[in-house]
Amino acid sequence: MIPLRIKVETEADQPFVVRLRSFEADPREQISPFDAALERVGPEGAHYAGEGGPIKVLGIDPSKVDGDVLLVNPRRGTADRLIRNTSQHNTFLVTERCDQVCLMCSQPPKKHHVDLFPYFETAALLAPEGATIGISGGEPTLFKAQLFEFLRRVLDARPDLSFHVLTNGQHFGEGDREAMGRIDLGRVAWGIPLYSREPAIHDKIVGKAGAHERLLENVALMCRLGAQIELRTVLMLPNADGLPQLARFIASTLPFIRTWAIMQMENIGFGRMNWKTLFYDSSEGFEVVGRSLDLVRSRGIDAWLYNFPLCTVPEPYRNLAPSTISDWKRAYRGECEGCSLKTRCGGFFEWHPADHGYGNLGAIQ
Ligand code: SF4
């Protein structure tokens, strides 16, 4: 698995952001005060130096972190790779707090919160040209004043960047009109989960009474404010049968959304604890999925399959199943040996158990 946290040594005593330069920078690129250049590589690590002082990076080849933007925590002797230069899957985890307790949550909420927005802003400004940066949690909009200001400032300063924000959609209101109006919303997609047309099913999945009603009010409000919405539905046993009903509802009532994503589950966090009662084997029961996709797409709305291994999807729908699992948590299994689809298949989550899940998968020749 690609490491997101690496070991470092530094003389600093406070956290700081730095961009590593393992090779001479392209002369067209601007060198920033946050850059640290590689000076030498020894058996004990790679030595970098910049305006912020020396930093030693341990246990990883300097070529693999060239251009990476790190948040260094000197006391722990670690650095989080906030931006990996060559990756399309950079995400800032802005909080681990959340007001929902979803049955399949891959990142169960914690009470503790540290405001890292100033570091995220610095890191985003150092991101490679044209990057899309993910924002996730926990629930990022629990800190929406900071989030809105962060988006505004970064998007104003970097016209080439865009963001994808994962949110439960519970915390928007009319009072956000002004703050949202200052953000270039054309460069922000909001990924919002909607699990069912039935309020009781949705509320049970997210562990919050009234969440469905609030969500629909806020999706409508956000669209009125000009936000681009990607509705997300994790496919599970409690909502699989109702998927066509949800598709009809989206097609008739929410045609203004940008995208609908039907997603497969991730076997980690609460998702692992509740796997047996939640996992829906779409390799054996694709009919509800296919019918729902057809319905929504026939009304001109984009609909996609996220996190579906291609061999579990009938051939006519495989073009709707892009490789969506982030590079650092993507894995392939023994069955994938020699599969002709491997280069465009997203495979599995690293932690997907070999003995649980799909009844029908295997290499496509
Ligand atoms: S066998 Fe592996 S690589 Fe091939 S389609 Fe299935 S999951 Fe993807």
Side-chain angles (χ1 to χ4, degrees), residues 6 28 80 133 361:
I6 56 178
R28 289 165 301 180
D80 292 325
I133 299 172
L361 66 82

Side-chain angles (χ1 to χ4, degrees), residues 309-311 332 335-336 339 341-342 345 348 362-363:
L310 282 180
C311 55
Y332 297 90
E335 293 94 325
C336 305
C339 177
L341 298 182
K342 195 169 172 185
C345 175
F348 302 88

